[in-house]
Amino acid sequence: MCIYTVSNLVEPLDVFEFTRSNGGRSCYRNETRTVFAPASTPACEADSPAFLRVEQVTTAEDGERQFLACSAVGGSAAVGDENTVLIISQPLDGDEADEREFALHIADLRALVTNGALVASSFQSGFGIACFDTDQPELLRRQIEMSVKSSEGVSVVVRSSNCDSELHQANMRAIG
């Protein structure tokens, strides 16, 4: 397994295309965007894309362990008590078609987290929101805006909180 770092200047869709084409995954950890790809791909060789810098070549098992430890979707990434979160909410007055469109939007966001190396240490969704724990909210906002077409009427908010609390509050609003 090849483990690479990626500059914050690289577009998430470029990283996404690389991981999709080479069977890789990505994550964000310790202020670093990281890409994991099988060692059998040309990317491990000298002709790898210029935006990738080889950090480590390791076994598939160790690479998988490292990816799972930093995956924002897996919920195993380190999350403090209170962080900065970026929250994307579906339109409040939306109909069923808007709900379906927002669900597709969340699926696109999840794919970018796992394959585009978005600067998010945690990603959770449900109850009409997508929540990202991040230490770089403005960069994350730009990455999302450059990569995914937003649904009409979607709101984006940045605040001090954590995704566990935000999903709990969204759940309370949904049942309340």
Side-chain angles (χ1 to χ4, degrees):
M1 176 84 49
C2 292
I3 302 174
Y4 306 93
T5 57
V6 180
S7 163
N8 284 345
L9 301 176
V10 176
E11 303 286 335
L13 289 177
D14 291 336
V15 177
F16 182 88
E17 180 58 31
F18 172 80
T19 58
R20 186 192 62 77
S21 298
N22 292 290
R25 294 285 181 259
S26 68
C27 68
Y28 177 73
R29 61 180 173 183
N30 302 325
E31 300 179 0
T32 304
R33 295 170 72 198
T34 305
V35 171
F36 300 83
S40 60
T41 66
C44 281
E45 299 169 7
D47 63 344
S48 65
F51 63 82
L52 295 175
R53 189 176 81 225
V54 176
E55 288 296 317
Q56 180 183 10
V57 178
T58 188
T59 65
E61 295 79 19
D62 184 53
E64 181 178 353
R65 181 191 57 74
Q66 288 188 50
F67 169 71
L68 292 174
C70 74
S71 175
V73 174
S76 59
V79 177
D81 292 334
E82 188 166 289
N83 307 293
T84 302
V85 294
L86 184 139
I87 303 159
I88 301 174
S89 303
Q90 72 183 36
L92 295 176
D93 57 351
D95 59 13
E96 191 174 314
D98 290 331
E99 288 179 19
R100 281 193 303 273
E101 186 176 334
F102 189 72
L104 292 173
H105 186 65
I106 287 177
D108 288 344
L109 293 170
R110 182 180 312 277
L112 282 172
V113 167
T114 59
N115 288 79
L118 292 183
V119 292
S121 58
S122 176
F123 172 79
Q124 298 180 45
S125 63
F127 311 109
I129 70 168
C131 183
F132 302 85
D133 281 293
T134 182
D135 58 355
Q136 299 187 54
E138 292 310 312
L139 176 58
L140 178 60
R141 183 189 301 249
R142 283 193 308 277
Q143 286 179 331
I144 291 170
E145 288 171 354
M146 290 184 303
S147 304
V148 181
K149 181 185 175 286
S150 224
S151 303
E152 195 71 29
V154 166
S155 71
V156 178
V157 176
V158 174
R159 66 174 157 250
S160 292
S161 185
N162 65 55
C163 287
D164 287 337
S165 295
E166 294 298 328
L167 255 56
H168 177 74
Q169 291 173 17
N171 181 31
M172 292 291 103
R173 286 189 299 273
I175 61 174

